[in-house]
Amino acid sequence: LLTARGVTFALRDDGAVFAAGNGAGSFEGVEPSHRGEFVRVPGLDGAAEITLASSSPAMVCARLAAGGVRCRRGALDPIAIRDLDDARQIAGRCAVRAGGGVACWGLNDLRATAVPLTDVVRLGSFDDLHCAVRGNGAVACWGAVGTVLDPTASTRVSATPEEVPGITSAVSIAVGPRSVCVALALGSVVCFGRRSAFQLGAEENVGPTVVSGASDVRTLSTNAGLRADGRVV
């Protein structure tokens, strides 16, 4: 499941993609756009993974089991991302390629463009902010990095990935609108960006900060972690 701005997308076991909530009807090209139950999103069958490529306007992309990535925005016909037949994981408008490289695309330019990164194992993304976990456990971010990396320039944009200092054993990552959280190899969690987004505290930007009470975490979503014993923190 993926949820943002009142719309929820679901991927079924057979590869079909569904949407419900505010704006879901626009993917069928009908009004009113609100749907109280899930409706099928045409043109994305055969999906192995889905991601929210944009929250406003809502764009959902699917990595297909047969290869390639296809996206749909509202009632517009689904479009295949060009030059991206070897995606092995997608997040937002970026994908990890089979060799560990990364490629991203725009809302209007649906052609994969290489990002100068190698040995990437996981991606996280929220709108124009993207972060990657590398094979050595380091984390690098690009795009709207001022949101989480630079307290003095919240609108700063970087086309070149910038390594986050102090993180050396990341295994999972979740990117939100104002913060990024990372699960480390030993199960602890660190977050950076706007402190109030992940802890009760002042409206200030901070570097990687340990989240108290989050231990033995294996996978993350925004502001939540799944522990090895099946419990959620």
Side-chain angles (χ1 to χ4, degrees):
L1 292 175
L2 299 171
T3 300
R5 298 185 185 273
V7 60
T8 297
F9 295 97
L11 173 60
R12 202 165 63 182
D13 286 346
D14 63 0
V17 179
F18 293 80
N22 188 28
S26 65
F27 288 86
E28 298 178 289
V30 298
E31 295 293 340
S33 63
H34 181 80
R35 286 291 180 271
E37 58 185 31
F38 280 101
V39 294
R40 196 164 191 155
V41 178
L44 299 184
D45 290 346
E49 180 185 15
I50 59 173
T51 185
L52 191 67
S54 171
S55 58
S56 182
M59 174 191 279
V60 61
C61 293
R63 178 175 61 83
L64 304 181
V69 175
R70 191 177 296 165
C71 299
R72 187 175 182 116
R73 184 169 61 191
L76 300 177
D77 290 337
I79 298 176
I81 304 301
R82 292 167 287 177
D83 305 324
L84 193 58
D85 293 331
D86 60 344
R88 70 183 189 193
Q89 190 233 331
I90 55 174
R93 295 193 300 275
C94 296
V96 182
R97 311 192 79 143
V102 174
C104 298
W105 59 94
L107 282 172
N108 299 309
D109 181 13
L110 298 179
R111 179 186 295 276
T113 302
V115 175
L117 279 173
T118 59
D119 195 25
V120 171
V121 295
R122 296 298 298 173
L123 283 178
S125 182
F126 187 91
D127 283 347
D128 294 324
L129 172 63
H130 318 287
C131 295
V133 176
R134 306 188 67 178
N136 62 1
V139 171
C141 298
W142 68 99
V145 297
T147 307
V148 295
L149 294 183
D150 194 340
T152 64
S154 62
T155 59
R156 184 167 68 87
V157 175
S158 176
T160 303
E162 299 181 13
E163 189 164 310
V164 181
I167 299 179
T168 59
S169 61
V171 295
S172 183
I173 192 164
V175 179
R178 299 189 303 156
S179 66
V180 176
C181 292
V182 177
L184 304 181
L186 294 180
S188 59
V189 174
V190 297
C191 298
F192 56 93
R194 189 65 87 178
R195 180 188 292 275
S196 63
F198 59 88
Q199 288 182 333
L200 294 178
E203 283 286 337
E204 60 178 348
N205 271 53
V206 296
T209 302
V210 176
V211 178
S212 60
S215 61
D216 207 21
V217 172
R218 293 295 178 264
T219 58
L220 287 173
S221 63
T222 306
N223 297 99
L226 178 64
R227 295 178 53 163
D229 61 7
R231 288 187 292 172
V232 173
V233 293

